[in-house]
Amino acid sequence: MTEKKQKKILLLSFSAGAGHMRAAQAIEAYAARDDGTGLAAKARHLDVMDFVTPAFRKLYTDFYIKLVNKAPALWGYLYHASHDAPKDSSMQRLRRGIERLNTRALMAQIAAFQPDAIICTHFLPAELLSRALRQEQLACPVWVQVTDFDLHRMWVQERMQGYFAATDEVAFRMRHEGIPADRIHVTGIPIMPAFAQVPERVQCAQAFGLDPQRTTILLMGGGAGLGSLETVAARLLALDGDFQLIVLAGKNAAALAALRDLASQYPGRLLAQGFTSEVERLMACADLVITKPGGLTTSECLALGLPMIVNAPIPGQEERNADYLLEQGVALKAFDAVTLEYRVRHLLDHPQQLQSMRAKALALGRPRAACDVLALVLDDGRAGAALR
């Protein structure tokens, strides 16, 4: 019997913002699994920014980072203005022309890999491939995974095989933009396989030297808008209440050193953690997460049933993410350090509300989103019709 040929899936993401990359990596991780599900595939993940000129990379990545950090209001304006701009406007035509001139190397890589299907976790490669399909320079189907709880019009491109939406509301917005209903699948946002099964709290807590019986708060990210990580951590530790605090400093060595100094002043109450590949195990120890409302991070929290306090959302997509989480009753919002203190105090004093938020988060979570996306792509959109 001839062995069935393994399909080749190409994943295209964009490194301005980690969420697009992590969504692609999650789908890639499921493709690499050979567990008898029939989903194994030869997957390759490419960052579009690896195939452009340095000037183009600087324009897209450095400009974006500077805007969201230094002039978030301006970024919010551009987000909404670009959503409303006609596709045939002179600015949009100029932007697309610049993109085509700087991504020829990417098209060569696609031709060399000869994928059976492509999944884009950012609108830029989807837009590039839409033109290639229109000009018959590409024959394989292209799918689009939206990575927020909102839909910006730039995600909507012609000739796409299908779209993956985080929620029914995002799917509704897709239909409103003219995408046929049979090409829309409500899967959630792809997260790593590790989040598909809730890690055992006691085991995880003991591995990190934490008390599994103690209320635990997890502070993630840079605390943007609330001050430095160590300042936020010190303010939280000064609150009344018997709780312990985990703070993730990522690759910020200075913040990690300051947090470890602070931990020495609060023995047994603060765990300062640098970059780690065990985020899901740290989340399993927590009762509450303080985080920016990125699509991927909040999807991970929902998968593990973690209530959130969201802070400093980037105007545009993160504001929409925060709105969704607040509407669903799984998060509160902190506008500044004073509000954060009030929110934490309130939830510590009202454990029944925390428990209600946890139940709602678990109900919303889609821990197997990446698996569902891969199954649909491998079966040309026929599998899992109930996900639409």
Side-chain angles (χ1 to χ4, degrees):
M1 183 180 291
T2 304
E3 186 176 347
K4 186 178 180 180
K5 179 186 175 184
Q6 195 176 53
K7 286 191 175 182
K8 294 193 291 185
I9 306 297
L10 183 62
L11 296 145
L12 298 180
S13 63
F14 186 82
S15 54
H20 308 291
M21 299 283 287
R22 285 160 55 200
Q25 290 163 355
I27 300 169
E28 182 182 31
Y30 273 101
R33 297 173 67 169
D34 189 9
D35 53 7
T37 61
L39 295 182
K42 183 179 180 181
R44 186 180 182 192
H45 173 211
L46 299 177
D47 176 7
V48 173
M49 285 296 96
D50 289 338
F51 300 94
V52 300
T53 64
F56 187 69
R57 185 181 303 113
K58 189 174 184 64
L59 173 67
Y60 260 82
T61 57
D62 292 2
F63 181 63
Y64 169 77
I65 291 170
K66 285 180 181 178
L67 268 185
V68 298
N69 288 329
K70 303 295 185 183
L74 177 56
W75 167 254
Y77 169 78
L78 292 174
Y79 180 88
H80 295 293
S82 58
H83 175 81
D84 296 331
K87 287 190 174 183
D88 60 351
S89 68
S90 57
M91 184 59 68
Q92 294 284 27
R93 291 198 301 271
L94 175 62
R95 180 180 59 81
R96 289 194 292 270
I98 294 172
E99 289 167 354
R100 289 195 295 271
L101 289 173
N102 286 279
T103 51
R104 291 173 179 170
L106 172 65
M107 297 306 296
Q109 286 290 322
I110 294 172
F113 185 61
Q114 294 185 322
D116 294 297
I118 298 174
I119 306 173
C120 301
T121 62
H122 189 274
F123 59 80
L124 173 59
E127 186 174 51
L128 293 169
L129 298 186
S130 174
R131 180 176 183 274
L133 287 166
R134 187 168 62 251
Q135 297 186 349
E136 298 184 349
Q137 297 172 346
L138 183 69
C140 73
V142 179
W143 302 75
V144 177
Q145 171 67 62
V146 178
T147 55
D148 286 297
F149 298 102
D150 183 35
L151 179 71
H152 191 285
R153 193 171 290 166
M154 280 187 174
W155 287 94
V156 181
Q157 300 297 330
E158 297 177 351
R159 293 175 170 77
M160 299 293 102
Q161 183 73 14
Y163 285 78
F164 302 111
T167 66
D168 289 332
E169 182 177 350
V170 174
F172 179 85
R173 293 181 66 85
M174 288 177 175
R175 293 192 296 272
H176 179 74
E177 293 294 336
I179 300 172
D182 63 354
R183 297 197 175 194
I184 300 169
H185 307 273
V186 182
T187 57
I189 297 172
I191 54 179
M192 294 298 285
F195 290 91
Q197 185 172 359
V198 179
E200 208 280 317
R201 177 178 175 128
V202 172
Q203 185 181 50
C204 292
Q206 290 174 346
F208 289 107
L210 297 166
D211 181 353
Q213 304 302 321
R214 205 172 187 184
T215 299
T216 305
I217 299 172
L218 173 61
L219 173 61
M220 301 180 68
L226 300 175
S228 64
L229 275 176
E230 60 271 24
T231 300
V232 177
R235 186 165 190 141
L236 292 174
L237 289 168
L239 298 177
D240 296 331
D242 182 24
F243 66 90
Q244 55 196 354
L245 179 65
I246 305 169
V247 185
L248 300 187
K251 297 180 180 180
N252 189 332
L256 181 60
L259 286 164
R260 286 178 172 166
D261 286 342
L262 181 64
S264 66
Q265 302 171 36
Y266 293 90
R269 292 198 62 199
L270 172 60
L271 171 64
Q273 181 75 48
F275 179 81
T276 176
S277 59
E278 297 184 298
V279 173
E280 75 282 354
R281 291 174 59 80
L282 288 163
M283 283 186 172
C285 302
D287 300 284
L288 173 66
V289 174
I290 302 168
T291 181
K292 285 175 60 62
L296 269 289
T297 298
T298 54
S299 293
E300 291 167 354
C301 290
L302 293 175
L304 298 185
L306 275 174
M308 290 165 266
I309 297 178
V310 295
N311 70 84
I314 296 170
Q317 68 272 30
E318 286 193 357
E319 281 186 336
R320 298 290 178 85
N321 291 345
D323 289 343
Y324 171 75
L325 297 169
L326 269 62
E327 289 167 1
Q328 299 300 318
V330 299
L332 303 178
K333 185 176 180 181
F335 303 96
D336 54 24
V338 176
T339 310
L340 175 64
E341 180 180 336
Y342 176 81
R343 303 292 191 217
V344 172
R345 285 179 182 271
H346 175 80
L347 290 176
L348 291 177
D349 290 341
H350 297 84
Q352 71 280 5
Q353 181 176 350
L354 203 57
Q355 186 58 37
S356 174
M357 293 169 70
R358 175 179 286 276
K360 291 175 181 178
L362 275 174
L364 283 180
R366 289 181 176 265
R368 292 179 59 82
C371 181
D372 292 337
V373 167
L374 182 61
L376 283 159
V377 171
L378 291 177
D379 202 33
D380 299 320
R382 292 185 293 271
L387 292 172
R388 293 194 185 110

